[in-house]
Amino acid sequence: MEQIEQDLALQGLTTSPPFTEGSVDSEITVLPLGEEPDESSTSAVRRSGMPVAEENDQQPVSYLVSNVDSANRTPISVTVGASLQSAMTLMVLHGFSQLPVLDEEGRLRGVVSWETIGRARMGDPGAELAAATERRVREADRSDDLLEWINEIYQSGYVFVRDQELKVCGLITAADLTVQFGTRVRPFVLIEEVEQRLRRVVDARIPLERIRAVVRRRPDAVNSASNLSFGDYRFLLLEDSDWQALGWAADRELLLTWLEQCRNFRNDLMHFSPDPLTEEQMNPVLGLLSLLRSLEPHT
């Protein structure tokens, strides 16, 4: 991201909003440095009263609300004055538990849910949308830190997202968080399995003195393969005696090549990125893990 910022600056350009915000599908405007975006883009001050970052401000590195895909998709809704039947029909058709109730300008005026409908109809079987609308609803800004809203989403099951015009632009549910964080956590889990499998087989079949021999810094502090890095494993397996000790029926050069690719993948993974990884990007760790599972099915 820093390289992109530098390249833009060299050309005398910037983006609005900052390209570090939003998801891979978000739209940005490229502008000459110093120019203000028009009214259809980012204004100098947010409607919520929060100032927009100046050109020289540090860009956010936290995981933003806008990084969740569903925060950038306008949810299906009903408008103030609509019938309760229409709200219920939409909820059944789409399998929703709740719908936002918006005014004519797209701003949130409440939420209708099966729970609020049930409460309203218990008191009045003929209750309409207004009676079934819960008006005490909190909204997240797209630029908010997502972690600050985790408890709210857990407690309520959802949170609506608003844009700079205070219009509803998205909805994050507990299910959305499960998918989002599941996608982000998966690569780390797979990398951890690769490392665990390597550690166990090396500890079981290669003497500690040989393990220490490949560590360049403080070998005396090495007590097991858990102290090895991905790079250390390469040096270890380049030794014929250590490779033979493993007893693997695999092409050593190919395995070492994939081990190096997996090392690079792991290093890249440590750099924060809001975009989820594709299966193609994960091929290095998926391929190596598949091989290790085949070589050591009982590990």
Side-chain angles (χ1 to χ4, degrees):
M1 291 190 290
E2 292 181 0
Q3 184 62 54
I4 296 174
E5 291 174 342
Q6 293 172 8
D7 291 343
L8 285 170
L10 286 174
Q11 300 299 321
L13 301 172
T14 186
T15 65
S16 177
F19 69 88
T20 51
E21 297 184 9
S23 68
V24 69
D25 296 320
S26 299
E27 293 185 2
I28 62 172
T29 301
V30 179
L31 301 167
L33 282 170
E35 280 198 14
E36 292 291 332
D38 59 29
E39 294 181 356
S40 64
S41 186
T42 307
S43 58
V45 179
R46 299 190 191 279
R47 290 288 298 273
S48 59
M50 295 298 292
V52 176
E54 297 294 333
E55 295 289 347
N56 295 325
D57 287 350
Q58 292 290 327
Q59 298 299 335
V61 295
S62 58
Y63 200 77
L64 305 180
V65 166
S66 60
N67 292 141
V68 180
D69 292 339
S70 61
N72 305 290
R73 294 195 300 265
T74 303
I76 294 172
S77 62
V78 290
T79 57
V80 174
S83 69
L84 186 56
Q85 285 76 11
S86 64
M88 294 170 63
T89 302
L90 284 172
M91 290 166 68
V92 171
L93 284 172
H94 295 280
F96 294 159
S97 298
Q98 67 282 316
L99 284 177
V101 179
L102 310 181
D103 62 19
E104 293 182 354
E105 295 183 339
R107 296 186 174 89
L108 188 66
R109 290 296 175 258
V111 61
V112 58
S113 66
W114 292 121
E115 181 181 354
T116 63
I117 292 171
R119 288 203 305 263
R121 287 287 172 92
M122 286 182 68
D124 177 9
E128 276 298 328
L129 182 64
T133 299
E134 171 60 58
R135 291 174 173 78
R136 293 173 297 179
V137 183
R138 297 182 65 198
E139 298 173 80
D141 288 325
R142 296 180 71 252
S143 58
D144 287 348
D145 188 331
L146 179 62
L147 295 182
E148 296 179 357
W149 287 94
I150 295 293
N151 188 60
E152 175 76 17
I153 297 171
Y154 172 75
Q155 296 290 338
S156 302
Y158 62 89
V159 68
F160 291 104
V161 183
R162 64 186 181 186
D163 61 18
Q164 295 168 348
E165 300 296 322
L166 301 186
K167 298 178 181 180
V168 172
C169 63
L171 166 67
I172 302 177
T173 66
D176 293 323
L177 286 185
T178 300
V179 172
Q180 191 81 8
F181 284 107
T183 300
R184 294 190 63 83
V185 167
R186 183 177 175 231
F188 293 93
V189 173
L190 295 177
I191 283 287
E192 177 65 19
E193 183 179 342
V194 167
E195 292 191 279
Q196 289 288 354
R197 286 179 174 274
L198 288 171
R199 290 170 187 167
R200 290 181 183 180
V201 70
V202 168
D203 278 333
R205 299 176 190 172
I206 298 180
L208 180 58
E209 59 268 20
R210 286 297 313 143
I211 297 175
R212 285 176 172 170
V214 303
V215 178
R216 300 179 178 182
R217 294 185 179 181
R218 298 188 61 191
D220 56 319
V222 175
N223 298 310
S224 69
S226 63
N227 300 118
L228 296 180
S229 67
F230 264 84
D232 292 331
Y233 283 114
R234 176 175 179 80
F235 290 118
L236 184 69
L237 300 185
L238 278 172
E239 293 293 331
D240 291 338
S241 60
D242 296 329
W243 174 256
Q244 292 168 6
L246 296 180
W248 282 347
D251 184 295
R252 176 164 51 168
E253 289 304 316
L254 283 175
L255 187 147
L256 290 175
T257 297
W258 279 73
L259 183 64
E260 178 66 11
Q261 291 176 350
C262 195
R263 183 186 71 83
N264 292 330
F265 173 88
R266 181 184 183 278
N267 291 342
D268 291 342
L269 192 61
M270 297 304 129
H271 294 83
F272 179 85
S273 172
D275 299 324
L277 296 172
T278 64
E279 289 296 306
E280 183 178 357
Q281 289 173 308
M282 292 180 56
N283 275 342
V285 65
L286 291 172
L288 182 59
L289 185 54
S290 177
L291 180 60
L292 292 176
R293 287 171 176 173
S294 298
L295 296 170
E296 299 289 337
H298 303 298
T299 299

